[in-house]
Structures are given as C-alpha cells and as structure tokens.
Amino acid sequence: MIERATHDQDYWEALNPQARITENPWLSTFAEPLWSDKITSTLRAALRAEGYAKGPVFCEPSDIDPLIAIILNVVRAGHRPACSLVYDEFYAFFQKIGVHIERVFQSDVLVVPDEFDIHYVPNHNDAAGSKPHRDNIDAANYMDADNLPGLLNVWVPLTAATPLNTCIYVQPADRDPLFKQAVGGRIVHWQPDDSSVQAIRAVPANAGSMLFWAPSLLHWGSRGSAQAHVPRISVACYFQSAGTRKFHPTAMPMQGTLPFSKRI
C-alpha cells in the first residue's frame, strides 16, 4: 500500500495537511544571513585549514519545528525520512542555508537537488550514523588555489546532535595524510593507527547550527545510545559556488520550478 501511494500527491498532502506541495517551492525573497563578516571569515579559515567548519545557529525554533513534525509523520507512516522532501517547507529552509553559504563562498550558489537528504537516527543502542567515508574523491576541480573548496556538503541538525545520538565525527584534513590523495581523485582507504585515531574529532552541534565540509573529508556518524534524550534528525544538501563547473546536471539556483514529480 505504501509503495503504491508514494507517487500520489494527494497521499502526501493528506499525510501532512499543514504542509505545502506546489510547482515552485522557493521563496520569492531571501532572508538576510545572520552571520557577521567576522564569523564568516573564521569559518572560511577553518574550512581552508581543516576541510570543515561548524557555523553557529542561523535559524529559529519556528523554522525547525514544522520540519521535524513533517519528518516524524513520514517516518511513522513507514517511509524513508528523505520522502519528506516532497514538501515545500524544506526548500525554503535550504534557501536560508544557502544565503549563509553564499557568504562562505563569496559568490552566488547552486543547489544540487539530487543530493538533498534527510536523516532520522533513533535514540537506541542499535542505531548508527553512516560508516567512515568520503563523499566525493574527485574534488580537485572544486578546490581553489587558496585551498578553499567550491563544493560543500552542508549538514544541519534539527535536533541537538551529541555523541550519544550519533553526532558527526571527522578526521580533520590537516591531520589526514590521505586527504590530498582523495582530492586528487585516487581511491584511498582509511587505515587507522594510533596517531590518526587520536586525531578523530567529535563535532556535537546545536539544533539549527550548520556543519559543512569539503567532499574529500573523511567523516562518519557514531553508534547510538538509549541514553540519548532525542533521535538525531538532520537535513543535508550540496551547495556549489556558481563560478565552478556544475557538479551534477540538476544543479540549479534557488529559484524556479521543482514540481512534485521531480522530488519523489
């Protein structure tokens, strides 16, 4: 029944009647970014040095709570969390993310709809985030002469992400001897030793903050715990500088039509 229903727009509208599904999910006007020039400069320096950065909270609970409600309804109905992306509310949220990433890139951005994702990791002992991996090893074309990537994976926790509910862990680029090989496009596998294990960094994050990294950064999610107070719910998307070659044919500015048939 669920499989037959997934391509029926009426089904999704009934599942979350408080949410919208229209031809154009983008807002006509963008909110002003909350990050100051000083914050953005600090984030650019961290990204350049370590391959990732964590930005402060950039949105309000009123932006997040409706998204969580949608995701919970979708998950309870037996669907993958990413099916929540049929609803317009997520694209308005991606726009809010995008205006902050424009400050990081210091240029206009393109979003990559095929790389949008939503994660729901329950708060119990059997849960886990993703295994150690790199998103895209062929990243050389997106790294400028100043070691700043023009393509970013952006990850936003909608609930607080902690070591108990599978926050993100990273191997900072400057402590990863294989990072430059991965940027160059060679397949490389992590072989942990004492020094590399000590360099692992947990990145807990408040709800509504933002973590972003270069595609070659080694990262993963931890094992979950029943001691966690809430599940880990998050959204993820790729943004690229509009000045670099298209990462994916679907890369587009944050405007224009994106009908239901392209989201499901």
Side-chain angles (χ1 to χ4, degrees), residues 7 19 29 37 44 49 62 84 98 123 130 146 156-157 166 181 192 199 229:
H7 291 275
T29 58
D37 290 342
R44 284 170 57 86
S62 58
S84 305
N123 48 324
S130 59
D146 201 24
V156 175
T166 75
Q181 296 180 45
H229 296 300

Side-chain angles (χ1 to χ4, degrees), residues 69-152:
I70 290 171
I71 294 167
L72 291 177
N73 284 342
V74 168
V75 171
R76 288 165 183 160
H79 300 289
R80 293 179 299 109
C83 290
S84 305
L85 292 166
V86 298
Y87 299 104
D88 291 5
E89 283 75 5
F90 289 90
Y91 299 88
F93 193 67
F94 290 140
Q95 281 180 297
K96 191 176 287 285
I97 297 171
V99 297
H100 291 82
I101 296 300
E102 284 181 337
R103 295 182 69 87
V104 175
F105 283 145
Q106 296 183 344
S107 75
D108 292 338
V109 299
L110 301 178
V111 295
V112 185
D114 268 29
E115 298 293 339
F116 291 163
D117 206 355
I118 295 175
H119 306 104
Y120 175 91
V121 184
N123 48 324
H124 60 63
N125 292 336
D126 295 330
S130 59
K131 295 180 179 180
H133 67 284
R134 305 177 196 271
D135 293 322
N136 176 15
I137 63 169
D138 186 17
N141 289 317
Y142 301 98
M143 199 74 74
D144 69 14
D146 201 24
N147 210 39
L148 197 70
L151 173 69
L152 292 174

Side-chain angles (χ1 to χ4, degrees), residues 202-221:
V203 193
N206 293 326
S209 61
M210 188 188 306
L211 181 62
F212 46 90
W213 56 82
S216 302
L217 186 80
L218 184 67
H219 63 283
W220 61 96

Side-chain angles (χ1 to χ4, degrees), residues 15 27 49-50 73 94 103 112 165 180 183 186-188 236:
L15 183 62
L27 299 178
E50 298 188 322
N73 284 342
F94 290 140
R103 295 182 69 87
V112 185
N165 72 350
K180 289 186 178 179
V183 169
R186 290 187 291 277
I187 297 176
V188 289

Side-chain angles (χ1 to χ4, degrees), residues 8-102:
D8 181 355
Q9 184 171 334
D10 290 341
Y11 169 84
W12 294 105
E13 290 174 340
L15 183 62
N16 276 295
Q18 81 285 7
R20 303 186 312 277
I21 303 175
T22 64
E23 287 291 299
N24 185 346
W26 310 105
L27 299 178
S28 57
T29 58
F30 295 2
E32 288 295 317
L34 298 182
W35 294 348
S36 66
D37 290 342
K38 182 178 180 180
I39 289 174
T40 305
S41 178
T42 299
L43 295 175
R44 284 170 57 86
L47 186 59
R48 189 180 293 113
E50 298 188 322
Y52 84 99
K54 185 175 77 171
V57 171
F58 67 95
C59 58
E60 301 293 334
S62 58
D63 298 312
I64 294 174
D65 291 346
L67 305 183
I68 293 175
I70 290 171
I71 294 167
L72 291 177
N73 284 342
V74 168
V75 171
R76 288 165 183 160
H79 300 289
R80 293 179 299 109
C83 290
S84 305
L85 292 166
V86 298
Y87 299 104
D88 291 5
E89 283 75 5
F90 289 90
Y91 299 88
F93 193 67
F94 290 140
Q95 281 180 297
K96 191 176 287 285
I97 297 171
V99 297
H100 291 82
I101 296 300
E102 284 181 337

